[in-house]
Each structure stands twice: as C-alpha cells, then as structure tokens.
Amino acid sequence: MEAAKKERFEPQSPNPIKMVKRNNPNRMTYKRQKKVLGILFSLPALVLLFTFLILPVILAFIYSFMDYAMLRPGEKTFIGLDNYQRLLTDGNFLNALKNTMYFTAVVVPLQSLVALGLALLVNKKVKLASLGRVFFFSPVVTSMVVVAILWTFLYNVENGLINSVLNLFGIPNQPFLLSPNQAMNSIIFMSIWQAAGFQMIIFLAGLKEVPEELYEAAEIDGANAWRKFLNVTLPALKHVTAFVLIITTIQAFRLFVQPFVMTNGGPSGSTKTLVYMLYEEGFQFRDVGYSSAISVVFFIIVLSVSLIMKKILVKE
C-alpha cells in the first residue's frame, strides 16, 4: 500500500523534448540570426540596385524640374514645369516620339509573327531542327553594334550586297539608309532579323508544353494543319504570346543602337527616337534638366503602354 501511494503521489518527471521546445532560449536567437544573415547577403545587391536603378530615377525626376547644365553643376535653378512645357512645343521631341511609335507599331506584330513561324518550323521532329535553332538564334547573341555595322555595309548604295542582288532582278540601287523614306524601314527589317530568334525560343518553350493528346484528338475530328493551329496551338500559346508582345514592346521603345551606329538619327531626323534624343540632349548638349524631363516622359509612356497591354492581353 505504501509503495502504491508513493507511486501515486510521486510527481511525474517532465517530458525532456517538450522542455527543450518550450524553454530553449536559443531558438528565437537562431531565427534572428537567419534574418540578419539574409539581410547581410542581400545587402550588396540592394546597394547596387539602389545606386544604379532607384537613385537615377529619383534624381532624373528631381532634375526634370531644374535648369541644370552639365558644364555648370553648381548652378541648378528650380524652374517648375518649364522643361515639360518645352517638350510640348519641341518639334524634335514630337518627331522622335512619332518615330518611336512607328517603329514599335511595326516591329512588335511583325517580329512576333516571324518568331512564331520560326518556332513552328524548328519544332518539327526532323534531323536538322537543332541546327535550325542555332542558326536562327545566333544573331541574338551577336553584339548589336557589330550587327549594325555589318548591315550598314549590306545597305551600301554603291556596292552593298543587297543592291547587288536587286540589280540581278533589274531593280536599280536603293538609297536605304540615305533616304528619309527608307531609313527607318531598313532599320526595322534589320531589327526583326536580329531579335526574332529570342522570341522564337520563348514560343518554342510554349510549344513544348502543348499536350500531344490535343493534336491527336483534333486529327480524329478531321482537322487539318491549319485548323489544328487555330484551335489548338494558338489557344495554348495565349499567355506566352501576351508575354512576348509585352517584352517586345518594351524592347522596341528602347531603340537606340541601330540609329546611333547606322544613321546618327538621320537623314533629316527620320530615325531619331526618344532614347536617341535623350542621349543627344544629355551627353551632346549637356542639358541635364531637359534630358531628365525626356526620360521621365519616356518612363511614363513605356509604363502606361505596358500596363494597358497587360490589362488587355493577360486575362484568365
């Protein structure tokens, strides 16, 4: 009886595992250490992001309200909206905006269609498909400066390869980059050739995700190749197409290297774009305030167009 009573009233020893979980003072310290280490590892990237992306945007917005010349850094004068009012009456800015919009409106649909066609071509299960992917993608990894110089020689009026080929068909030499009516279209053709391979890879990745069962079901229903493309391929690539159109639009708005290398914005300003004018005002004329206003307007335009396209194209 005494042994039973002793066993009954003897306090039970606490569970050591629960005690460790409940009373471990190092647990919260370890969580704090993980957070601190995460912040420390992210700090270099955050500093670079702030220095080269966020800070320039803030300074551009501030300088856009100032009369600030690069050669007179100590003479910054607040002038309010004068730079923006100047944009509305500046013929060069309106011309650059028109050229940028024209380039974007032509390049985005044509380049996307070419990329989709190339993706469908190299997606076929044939022996040379892999070689075709390398061939069509190789211009993308080539420096745009090198490509622009190469095509400048191809477009040469006197002895360019393109004019030599046209002469074989009885077509006289074309001015291409020397004509205000042909210069932008020549740059458009070259840009589509150079960049379509990038969008091709994106479309190709989307095509790989289309289930083969859908094509088999379409064949059973008697669909031909065109019907399978319209009813199976295009709906399956809906979100991929939206992504391609948005990123191609952003890239088209950033047109700079081609007119800078090939035409210097000419002839007669026919290839001058917003980014080219931004560079010209900021680094050639040293007008930091006016170029900052151009950059702010450019940012607003690109952001607005991207959001509108996302609203229209990306629908669940």
Side-chain angles (χ1 to χ4, degrees), residues 130-147:
S130 299
L131 182 62
R133 296 170 193 171
V134 175
F135 178 77
F136 293 129
F137 188 74
S138 56
V140 179
V141 298
T142 306
S143 171
M144 177 57 78
V145 175
V146 176
V147 173

Side-chain angles (χ1 to χ4, degrees), residues 305-316:
V305 172
S306 302
L307 292 177
I308 292 172
M309 291 184 66
K310 182 181 178 182
K311 186 72 174 179
I312 296 173
L313 296 174
V314 182
K315 292 182 179 179
E316 294 294 340

Side-chain angles (χ1 to χ4, degrees), residues 10-237:
E10 184 177 0
Q12 296 181 355
S13 60
N15 189 335
I17 299 178
K18 291 183 178 180
M19 288 294 293
V20 170
K21 288 184 178 180
R22 185 184 306 164
N23 300 323
N24 188 359
N26 296 325
R27 191 176 181 190
M28 294 304 296
T29 304
Y30 176 68
K31 287 185 177 181
R32 292 194 189 97
Q33 289 176 349
K34 287 179 64 177
K35 291 181 180 179
V36 172
L37 286 175
I39 294 173
L40 290 177
F41 280 119
S42 303
L43 192 59
L46 294 175
V47 170
L48 292 175
L49 181 67
F50 178 80
T51 304
F52 294 103
L53 183 62
I54 299 176
L55 183 60
V57 171
I58 297 174
L59 292 178
F61 181 77
I62 295 173
Y63 291 154
S64 67
F65 298 101
M66 294 183 177
D67 179 14
Y68 175 22
M70 189 180 296
L71 298 180
R72 293 180 283 106
E75 300 179 10
K76 303 184 185 72
T77 306
F78 180 79
I79 57 175
L81 298 174
D82 287 0
N83 285 325
Y84 294 98
Q85 293 175 353
R86 177 182 168 188
L87 286 176
L88 298 177
T89 58
D90 189 349
N92 290 328
F93 172 78
L94 298 177
N95 178 64
L97 178 61
K98 182 194 70 173
N99 292 335
T100 304
M101 290 296 185
Y102 174 75
F103 179 85
T104 303
V106 176
V107 163
V108 171
L110 289 182
Q111 186 169 306
S112 301
L113 287 174
V114 171
L116 178 58
L118 294 177
L120 293 171
L121 182 64
V122 300
N123 191 45
K124 296 182 179 297
K125 296 180 180 179
V126 294
K127 293 183 179 180
L128 298 179
S130 299
L131 182 62
R133 296 170 193 171
V134 175
F135 178 77
F136 293 129
F137 188 74
S138 56
V140 179
V141 298
T142 306
S143 171
M144 177 57 78
V145 175
V146 176
V147 173
I149 294 174
L150 173 64
W151 276 83
T152 302
F153 287 110
L154 293 177
Y155 281 137
N156 187 275
V157 178
E158 299 298 332
N159 51 11
L161 178 61
I162 296 178
N163 273 321
S164 300
V165 174
L166 293 178
N167 291 338
L168 297 176
F169 297 95
I171 302 175
N173 289 352
Q174 299 297 312
F176 292 123
L177 300 177
L178 301 180
S179 169
N181 297 325
Q182 296 184 11
M184 181 58 80
N185 292 327
S186 301
I187 290 177
I188 287 173
F189 183 83
M190 184 272 288
S191 300
I192 293 174
W193 173 86
Q194 190 272 339
F198 177 73
Q199 285 80 10
M200 176 199 72
I201 295 298
I202 300 175
F203 276 123
L204 186 61
L207 289 173
K208 296 296 183 182
E209 298 298 321
V210 181
E212 289 292 336
E213 292 80 4
L214 297 179
Y215 292 108
E216 295 173 358
E219 288 182 1
I220 294 174
D221 291 338
N224 55 22
W226 177 246
R227 286 294 179 185
K228 286 191 288 186
F229 174 75
L230 289 179
N231 299 324
V232 177
T233 305
L234 281 183
L237 294 177

